[in-house]
């Protein structure tokens, strides 16, 4: 059976089911009205019933209070019941009243209390019967048309989102191409390579000098010379910041050094000035290259900012599309479940 035909059949069945449901509701609400009148009548009888004269005065007071509370609570509970749905909501309260009458009240008015309890029990049984009949008569609300409409809307939104995302991706590729061209045009690739090589060389030369100095820290520390010697023993980078003081210190301690320490000190004395000078020259050149790059990079930076913004927009669009696809998957699952229920109701296979 085609889906549209199946939905028409289902809607006809649902209309018939709703008429049955309404008939069941009217039947039980009529019965409910009768039950409530019977209970209220019994409550009135209990309220009018006189307490026997031979009852102890203390018990009389307790019974009077118990009856007043019991009758008032019952009337309040019953007053809010106008339909079977109301009854379902108040059944827990009525169940409490079913056993909450008080031990003295039931001793003196057992017949009246049991009569009320029997009617309350019948109310409960009526509701259970009503619920079973409704469950049998009602057809589930499948909402297939609504699911189909929402699925179509989401599919449309996904298609539009994909088109927008594709437009952003194409613009991103254009900008990346323009950026690559600018790098070539301005010679930035070559300039960046020179800056990278120079930075690496400076770091390597500084590490070499600091490594040599660090090997002498232990023997210098043992000499307890104080002043700059203590600073040298704590921080090997002084060899770069204070080369003249370092040479003066090395010349002073050289005669007291032995073996590998003397060899390291001699290497520093012979090479430190030249090495530090070379590092300073490299640093000056690096500053010049970085300043040159800064002048060239303004156009590049504009495009880089545009690229970052496009990447952000693409991520947002992808997150939005993911949510839509998850929602569509959820709806499709609900749709399949509803179709399975519809096939069970109609007893036939449905063509998608």
């Amino acid at each position: 059976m085609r889906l549209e035909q199946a939905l028409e059949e289902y809607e006809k069945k649902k209309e018939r089911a709703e008429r049955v449901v309404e008939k069941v509701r009217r039947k039980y609400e009529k019965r409910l009205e009768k039950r409530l009148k019977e209970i209220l009548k019994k409550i009135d009888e209990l309220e009018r019933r006189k307490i026997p004269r031979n009852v102890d005065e203390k018990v009389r007071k307790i019974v009077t209070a118990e009856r007043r509370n019991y009758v008032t609570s019952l009337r309040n509970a019953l007053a809010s019941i106008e339909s079977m749905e109301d009854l379902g909501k108040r059944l827990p309260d009525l169940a409490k009243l079913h056993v909450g009458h008080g031990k003295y009240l039931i001793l003196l008015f057992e017949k009246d209390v049991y009569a009320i309890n029997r009617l309350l029990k019948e109310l409960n049984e009526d509701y259970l019967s009503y619920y079973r009949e409704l469950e049998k008569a009602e057809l589930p609300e499948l909402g297939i048309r609504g699911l189909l409409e929402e699925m179509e809307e989401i599919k449309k939104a996904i298609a539009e989102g994909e088109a927008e995302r594709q437009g952003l991706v194409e613009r991103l590729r254009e900008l990346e191409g323009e950026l690559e061209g600018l790098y070539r045009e301005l010679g930035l690739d070559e300039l960046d390579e020179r800056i990278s090589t120079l930075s690496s060389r400076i770091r390597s030369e500084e590490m070499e000098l600091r490594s040599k100095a660090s090997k002498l820290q232990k023997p210098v520390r043992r000499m307890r010379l104080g002043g700059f010697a203590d600073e040298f023993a704590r921080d090997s980078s002084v060899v770069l910041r204070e080369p003249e003081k370092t040479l003066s210190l090395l010349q002073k301690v050289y005669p007291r050094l032995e073996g590998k320490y003397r060899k390291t000190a001699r290497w520093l004395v012979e090479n430190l000035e030249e090495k530090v000078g070379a590092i300073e020259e490299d640093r000056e050149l690096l500053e010049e290259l970085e300043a040159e790059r800064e002048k060239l990079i303004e156009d590049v930076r504009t495009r880089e900012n545009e690229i970052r913004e496009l990447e952000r927009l693409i991520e947002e669009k992808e997150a939005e599309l993911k949510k839509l696809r998850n929602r569509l998957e959820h709806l499709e699952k609900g749709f399949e479940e509803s179709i399975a229920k519809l096939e069970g109701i109609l007893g036939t296979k449905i063509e998608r």
Side-chain angles (χ1 to χ4, degrees):
M1 183 181 290
R2 295 178 65 83
L3 179 56
E4 189 58 38
Q5 183 185 354
L7 288 174
E8 288 174 4
E9 287 294 319
Y10 162 75
E11 285 161 7
K12 289 175 185 176
K13 278 182 172 287
K14 198 164 191 310
E15 285 176 8
R16 291 195 294 270
E18 285 170 357
R19 288 195 291 270
V20 173
V21 165
E22 186 56 33
K23 187 176 178 181
V24 170
R25 184 172 284 113
R26 285 198 303 269
K27 179 180 77 171
Y28 277 91
E29 287 189 353
K30 188 175 180 181
R31 187 183 298 180
L32 173 64
E33 186 180 354
K34 182 181 176 183
R35 295 277 193 222
L36 292 175
K37 285 180 180 178
E38 290 175 353
I39 296 172
L40 289 170
K41 183 181 177 182
K42 291 294 181 183
I43 292 172
D44 290 342
E45 290 175 1
L46 173 61
E47 195 173 31
R48 289 195 302 268
R49 196 78 66 193
K50 292 184 178 180
I51 300 173
R53 291 180 181 179
N54 59 348
V55 171
D56 180 77
E57 188 59 30
K58 184 179 179 181
V59 173
R60 180 184 294 275
K61 288 180 180 179
I62 293 172
V63 170
T64 300
E66 285 183 350
R67 181 167 61 180
R68 183 173 56 251
N69 292 337
Y70 179 62
V71 165
T72 301
S73 298
L74 261 177
R75 282 193 176 126
N76 288 339
L78 296 174
S80 62
I81 299 173
E82 295 180 356
S83 66
M84 293 302 290
E85 284 67 31
D86 293 337
L87 173 61
K89 294 174 186 175
R90 298 313 300 262
L91 280 176
D93 297 329
L94 293 174
K96 292 176 185 176
L97 291 170
H98 185 76
V99 294
H101 37 63
K103 64 179 182 179
Y104 288 104
L105 181 63
I106 199 169
L107 282 175
L108 295 181
F109 302 112
E110 181 180 12
K111 183 177 178 181
D112 296 275
V113 172
Y114 281 174
I116 292 170
N117 281 350
R118 176 179 55 79
L119 291 170
L120 291 175
K121 185 179 179 183
E122 287 173 0
L123 265 185
N124 186 69
E125 290 169 354
D126 284 346
Y127 181 77
L128 293 175
S129 298
Y130 168 74
Y131 185 78
R132 282 193 293 268
E133 286 193 41
L134 277 191
E135 198 173 43
K136 184 179 178 181
E138 282 181 327
L139 285 182
E141 188 60 55
L142 301 179
I144 291 176
R145 293 191 191 278
L147 287 169
L148 285 169
E149 287 176 8
E150 190 174 354
M151 285 161 62
E152 284 305 311
E153 287 175 5
I154 290 179
K155 285 177 183 177
K156 183 180 177 183
I158 289 173
E160 291 173 354
E162 286 285 8
E164 290 174 14
R165 180 191 172 280
Q166 188 58 33
L168 292 170
V169 169
E170 288 173 5
R171 177 57 184 154
L172 176 63
R173 287 172 183 162
E174 286 176 13
L175 282 173
E176 287 173 339
E178 290 176 12
L179 184 62
E180 188 178 338
L182 268 175
Y183 265 91
R184 285 195 303 269
E185 181 185 333
L186 299 174
L188 279 171
D189 285 332
E190 182 183 344
L191 188 57
D192 284 344
E193 181 64 29
R194 288 180 65 192
I195 289 172
S196 176
T197 300
L198 194 55
S199 297
S200 178
R201 188 168 76 198
I202 291 170
R203 285 194 301 272
S204 176
E205 290 171 346
E206 288 180 344
M207 285 178 63
E208 181 184 27
L209 290 178
R210 291 190 64 175
S211 175
K212 296 288 186 184
S214 66
K215 291 176 181 177
L216 297 174
Q217 286 178 313
K218 189 173 180 180
V220 169
R221 189 181 301 114
R222 288 173 178 170
M223 293 178 189
R224 302 180 183 276
L225 300 173
F228 180 75
D230 289 347
E231 188 178 351
F232 177 90
R234 284 194 308 271
D235 181 7
S236 63
S237 68
V238 297
V239 73
L240 302 171
R241 298 195 307 272
E242 303 282 358
E244 291 180 1
K245 287 185 180 180
T246 300
L247 283 173
S248 177
L249 173 65
L250 292 174
Q251 288 165 353
K252 183 177 180 181
V253 302
Y254 183 78
R256 299 171 62 180
L257 296 172
E258 296 180 355
K260 61 181 182 179
Y261 298 124
R262 176 174 285 215
K263 184 178 178 180
T264 300
R266 184 168 61 249
W267 186 92
L268 281 170
V269 169
E270 292 173 354
N271 295 285
L272 180 59
E273 190 173 357
E274 180 185 347
K275 291 281 186 181
V276 170
I279 289 171
E280 288 176 355
E281 288 178 6
D282 284 346
R283 282 196 174 281
E284 288 176 5
L285 178 57
L286 179 62
E287 288 176 6
E288 290 174 7
L289 292 175
E290 287 177 340
E292 181 182 348
R293 186 181 189 280
E294 193 63 28
K295 290 177 182 176
L296 297 173
I297 208 168
E298 282 190 24
D299 286 344
V300 171
R301 189 171 288 135
T302 299
R303 282 168 175 76
E304 285 176 341
N305 289 339
E306 289 179 18
I307 285 171
R308 280 194 292 272
E309 177 62 15
L310 279 171
E311 287 172 340
R312 184 187 68 79
L313 291 173
I314 289 169
E315 284 181 8
E316 285 183 0
K317 187 57 65 178
E318 286 173 347
E320 180 185 324
L321 286 167
K322 183 178 179 181
K323 286 181 182 178
L324 287 170
R325 291 191 187 100
N326 288 341
R327 177 60 182 163
L328 180 60
E329 184 180 345
H330 175 75
L331 290 171
E332 287 173 341
K333 184 179 178 182
F335 175 74
E336 291 300 325
E337 290 172 354
S338 293
I339 290 294
K341 291 177 183 177
L342 182 56
E343 287 176 338
I345 290 167
L346 300 180
T348 184
K349 196 73 177 172
I350 296 170
E351 297 175 22
R352 302 292 194 272

